[in-house]
Amino acid sequence: MAVISRRAADRLRAGHVWVYRSDVEELAGVDGEDAPALLPVTDRRGMLLGTALYSGASEIALRLISQEAIGEDAWLALLRERLKAAIALRLPMLSAETDACRLVFSEADALPGVIADKYGDLVILQLLSKALDNDAVRLVTAETLREAVHPRTIVERPDARIRELEELSAPAAAPLYARDIEEPLTKTVFHLNGLKFHYDANSGQKTGAFLDQRENYAAAARYAHGEALDVCTYQGGFALHLAKTCRRVTGIDVSHAALEVAEQNLAANREQLKDSEVDWIEANAFDLLREWSDAGAAYDTIVLDPPAFAKSKRAVDSALRGYKELNLRALKMLRPGGVLVTCSCSHHVSPAEFTEVVRAAAGDARRRVRLIERRGAAADHPVILTIPETEYLKCLVCEVS
């Protein structure tokens, strides 16, 4: 049994599901080094708050999965039920135009630590908590995914950094499921908004593509015009959508490997995007934008989609300076009537803080910026109001004069 502080108990009662290690006051009747995956959670008075997944290695020691006391059998049944509900929510979002989405989004689907992404006929699974690192969870999860979406292959691919922090076991070399055991599918082409993208389960950031930006890709294409610049393009997600409406698009990224995939994606869509000229530049975004803005380079549309600058609360001030620098340079480079699509995926940076950064950059650049849309992640990444970490992606679409 885990006894937690009053602060943590109030947090759970308010609807959050995390308890930090510093708020665990006692592990009663268990050895902290060898505690079970499931623990009942109580406040100081002994009042039951529910059952949580326990991790002795993580800063987030407890992740609440039920407000009742449950055992392993009930947890596995609950896991199956919640997986089915999460997938059912996403199935109407899929079509021939878009056959990729996030099927399961961790806390947002009441399944802390479970993430599953669909790329065409390939499903990528991440189990990001020590309490999930067992055969029973893998079996239930793989069976449910197979029955619900009928993929050709299911591959487990944990985030390398989280695997180290959580002290997770190494994933098996073989897929969790493969329709063709002899030649399992690990590479595929999937579709977002009618465009084709390559995916390789053995390479790339996170689990592959940034599916959370799907609706923002489409929004950017609606407003974009003229000459466009996509900063931190990764594998060309925004750039190729911009090419639907812009005569020339340049994508910038520091990763050579990412730009190689971007070029493959461009080739796959060349016929559809034949009216646009698209090129890629391998460079550090800060250095290049500073050089270009000082030299007077000008664009009609600029997209800023950098990686998360704030991995912790301590990094927020530095992150805000980074966001301001990028936005300041972009605003200086936009022609009157231009469009700025600017994003932040740092959940430690609030929507209000990010908006203030763009406002401050507009003031320093002496540009009038009109907010057209305030956007977030796509619908397959739902937000739970009592878990603010689920609302991590910010996207502002602005007109600059």
Side-chain angles (χ1 to χ4, degrees), residues 106-182:
S106 197
E107 283 81 3
D109 289 304
L111 290 170
V114 181
I115 290 177
D117 289 333
K118 180 181 186 295
Y119 299 100
D121 287 330
L122 180 60
V123 171
I124 306 299
L125 175 67
Q126 291 187 305
L127 300 175
L128 304 176
S129 169
K130 187 68 174 177
L132 302 171
D133 189 8
N134 60 73
D135 291 342
V137 166
R138 288 186 175 89
L139 178 62
V140 168
T141 305
E143 281 185 352
T144 308
L145 288 166
R146 179 173 55 82
E147 293 166 1
V149 297
H150 311 291
R152 285 177 57 185
T153 307
I154 302 172
V155 175
E156 183 181 355
R157 186 183 172 198
D159 180 285
R161 177 174 172 271
I162 294 178
R163 179 187 158 203
E164 181 180 353
L165 292 173
E166 289 276 343
E167 299 179 359
L168 304 177
S169 63
L176 291 177
Y177 163 77
R179 194 182 304 170
D180 185 342
I181 298 175
E182 297 298 322

Side-chain angles (χ1 to χ4, degrees), residues 237-250:
F238 271 110
L240 297 183
H241 282 79
L242 298 177
K244 289 183 173 183
T245 51
C246 295
R247 66 179 182 272
R248 179 178 175 83
V249 180
T250 298

